[in-house]
Structures are given as structure tokens and as C-alpha cells.
Amino acid sequence: MKFQNNPPQKRPQKQLSEKAKKEMLRIIGYTLLAMFVYFGASAVPIPAVGYAVVGIYMTALAVFAVVYICYNYAFTRKDVTVDMLPDDWSEEQKLEYVEKPKQHFAKSRWMIFVIFPLIITFIADVLYLFVWTGFLEGLFIR
């Protein structure tokens, strides 16, 4: 039996909306700014400044992440429909229970523009400390 060698079909690419492009550029800009401040302060010869910046960044990331998760009900109400709710609730209560998480998600969207750049900054720092530094040491120290 012969098998036909069919090349994989390319999926059509989705075009990003203008709003999505602007949000992506905003996140990239905030990420670059966060990295510039973080690594710039870390390069200051006074160790206390570097430690303070790392502490501030870590605290900000932890606080924003916890607030974002708590404010959005830990995403537990994400897929709840009106049919899943108790029958003794009124229709208004059911609609409010289903719609409130959507409203919270929309209101807290701005926190993503803080959380994401901080996460990327810490990933870059870990890569710098544990991968790049080790790579350079491997090149020059044997």
C-alpha cells in the first residue's frame, strides 16, 4: 500500500485588530521600560540600590498578581452559565452572578500591563544570572 505524501496545509492567519496591536505594543513598551529600570538600577555600584529595586519589583509583582487573581474570583466563575445555578435564585441573581466576573475581568485588565512586564523582567534576570553568566564562564574559564 502506498501512502501519499500530502504536504501540511497552512492555516489561514488571523489578522490582529488595531486594538490588539496597540495593546501588544503597549505591553512591549512597558516591558522594555521595566527591564531598563530594573537592570539599570541593578548595575549601580551601590548594592543597596540594586537590592531595593529587586525587592520593590518582587513585592509589586506579588501584590498585583494576588490582587488580580482574587479580584477575578480566582477564575472559578469563568465558565458558569445560568443553567448551572440553583433554581431557587431569581433570574436577576443568576444574571448578576454570571455577569459580575466578566465586569471584574474587564475592570482589572490594566493590571496585566503591570504583571506581564514584571514577569518578563524576572525571567530575563534569571536567564542572565543562571544561563548567560554560566555560558560566559564556560567560554573563558576552563
Side-chain angles (χ1 to χ4, degrees):
M1 172 186 247
K2 286 189 172 183
F3 293 99
Q4 292 181 346
N5 188 8
N6 293 331
Q9 299 293 325
K10 287 188 175 182
R11 292 190 305 185
Q13 295 288 328
K14 282 187 176 180
Q15 294 293 332
L16 289 176
S17 68
E18 287 300 316
K19 182 180 177 185
K21 287 179 186 177
K22 286 181 183 177
E23 286 184 353
M24 187 171 52
L25 288 174
R26 260 178 61 189
I27 286 180
I28 290 170
Y30 290 150
T31 302
L32 292 175
L33 177 66
M35 290 175 102
F36 178 75
V37 171
Y38 181 83
F39 287 110
S42 297
V44 172
I46 304 168
V49 174
Y51 295 143
V53 170
V54 170
I56 290 168
Y57 267 57
M58 290 175 118
T59 304
L61 177 60
V63 167
F64 275 103
V66 168
V67 168
Y68 184 77
I69 290 169
C70 291
Y71 188 72
N72 285 300
Y73 304 106
F75 308 107
T76 56
R77 294 191 193 176
K78 185 177 180 188
D79 297 324
V80 175
T81 62
V82 175
D83 301 332
M84 298 172 162
L85 299 174
D87 293 331
D88 59 336
W89 284 15
S90 69
E91 288 300 316
E92 293 84 22
Q93 284 178 313
K94 290 180 182 181
L95 283 175
E96 180 183 344
Y97 189 87
V98 171
E99 291 299 319
K100 200 167 190 177
K102 294 175 186 173
Q103 294 169 355
H104 278 223
F105 185 72
K107 287 180 184 177
S108 65
R109 187 161 174 79
W110 66 270
M111 286 188 229
I112 293 296
F113 293 104
V114 175
I115 294 169
F116 189 75
L118 292 176
I119 289 173
I120 297 297
T121 301
F122 280 118
I123 290 172
D125 190 34
V126 167
L127 288 174
Y128 172 74
L129 289 174
F130 296 111
V131 177
W132 182 248
T133 306
F135 174 72
L136 289 178
E137 286 176 359
L139 284 177
F140 299 111
I141 300 173
R142 292 196 187 216

